[in-house]
Amino acid sequence: MDQPAGIVQRVLKSEGIGGLIRRSLRRLLRKPELVNLYVLALEREDIMQRPTYPPPLEDLEIDELSDRDGNDIEALAGFGFYGRSPEDILQYLAAGQQCFLLKHQGRVISCIWRAAGSYYDHYLKRRLDLDDNEEYLLGAFVLPELRGKGILPFFFQTTFLERLQGCPDLRATILIRTTNRSSLRTVDKSGFRTVGRMGFLDVLGIRFQYLLGRDALPKTTRRTFLQLASASETG
């Protein structure tokens, strides 16, 4: 990450002492920001303990998004969820991320995004390293008018069981804010269990990052550290 001395030198060169003072005052006046997330995991034994969820609607189809699916990409961009433009979504696909689609009578009504290997979280400003058998679920979305019908528990369960066929020891990890009761209820129905916590505290422009729990993202070795809130972790 950028070192404080280097940042000061660049600001002095580009904005002068006045710019440095203004930036310092803004940092001092910035309100502290605290983000607390549960780290939840799903494995074979977890999902097998849950009932089998039947399709909540007729004529449902599950598909994987590709960069050739122009109409589906436009539909996802319209969700305003993860990727607010077709260009964003194509960039995510090119980076190796996967998106599973749930369609009702040909219309995309839900999606699940996942990553494997290593993923840089731009909101948390930290890199997450994943085990060979681990996937990181970036998020899931259901059209507002179809929420409360059990779509996500069915979608999570069906797609995870399909991926288990290719990786019997598959482990899915997802992060959810500790205050998001609705999402926590949804993943609980699917069998996810809490294995740790992650988050950060920003104070005076310094970000304290933490990752707690031995079973939470075990391959991510950088667990607790300090960084400038305006900087990005590069390692």
Side-chain angles (χ1 to χ4, degrees):
M1 73 178 190
D2 291 338
Q3 296 300 317
I7 294 175
V8 169
Q9 290 176 1
R10 286 201 302 274
V11 173
L12 284 172
K13 184 177 180 179
S14 61
E15 303 177 29
I17 187 65
L20 179 62
I21 292 173
R22 287 191 296 272
R23 284 181 174 236
S24 299
L25 287 174
R26 284 199 300 268
R27 181 165 291 176
L28 289 172
L29 294 173
R30 183 187 299 162
K31 291 183 179 179
E33 181 183 5
L34 176 64
V35 171
N36 287 314
L37 304 164
Y38 286 125
V39 183
L40 301 110
L42 179 69
E43 297 177 291
R44 173 186 289 273
E45 56 268 27
D46 303 314
I47 204 165
M48 292 304 181
Q49 294 174 9
R50 289 295 187 269
T52 300
Y53 293 108
L57 300 170
E58 295 182 354
D59 300 322
L60 288 177
E61 174 190 2
I62 294 175
D63 199 4
E64 182 178 343
L65 184 69
S66 81
D67 57 8
R68 299 182 300 276
D69 299 330
N71 291 336
D72 293 338
I73 289 173
E74 290 284 350
L76 288 181
F79 288 174
F81 164 64
Y82 183 73
R84 298 179 181 273
S85 72
E87 292 75 21
D88 286 343
I89 292 170
L90 288 171
Q91 182 179 352
Y92 300 153
L93 293 174
Q97 298 172 27
Q98 287 183 293
C99 180
F100 298 99
L101 307 174
L102 183 63
K103 299 179 182 180
H104 178 235
Q105 297 177 347
R107 176 195 181 200
V108 179
I109 62 170
S110 183
C111 66
I112 297 174
W113 283 89
R114 70 181 287 270
S118 180
Y119 176 77
Y120 181 80
D121 192 300
H122 290 275
Y123 176 66
L124 295 174
K125 295 183 179 179
R126 67 177 297 166
R127 184 167 302 282
L128 307 176
D129 295 316
L130 309 173
D131 251 325
D132 293 339
N133 65 326
E134 188 174 19
E135 62 180 15
Y136 176 44
L137 299 183
L138 306 173
F141 179 87
V142 178
L143 288 175
E145 64 267 27
L146 294 173
R147 292 173 186 171
K149 298 182 180 295
I151 287 174
L152 274 183
F154 163 78
F155 197 10
F156 272 131
Q157 185 180 72
T158 303
T159 54
F160 187 80
L161 288 172
E162 287 179 354
R163 296 195 297 282
L164 273 178
Q165 297 178 19
C167 181
D169 61 343
L170 179 65
R171 175 188 176 99
T173 297
I174 193 169
L175 306 179
I176 297 179
R177 285 182 181 265
T178 57
T179 55
N180 191 340
R181 300 302 175 192
S182 175
S183 293
L184 289 170
R185 285 194 297 270
T186 296
V187 297
D188 178 70
K189 291 178 182 177
S190 301
F192 283 87
R193 54 191 167 81
T194 302
V195 294
R197 288 199 179 205
M198 176 186 282
F200 61 81
L201 172 65
D202 277 358
V203 179
L204 300 179
I206 303 298
R207 175 169 291 192
F208 169 72
Q209 296 268 16
Y210 72 90
L211 172 56
L212 307 175
R214 183 180 61 184
D215 294 331
L217 296 161
K219 199 169 183 179
T220 300
T221 56
R222 201 173 186 205
R223 315 289 284 183
T224 303
F225 57 94
L226 293 174
Q227 67 181 160
L228 291 177
S230 59
S232 299
E233 183 190 10
T234 57

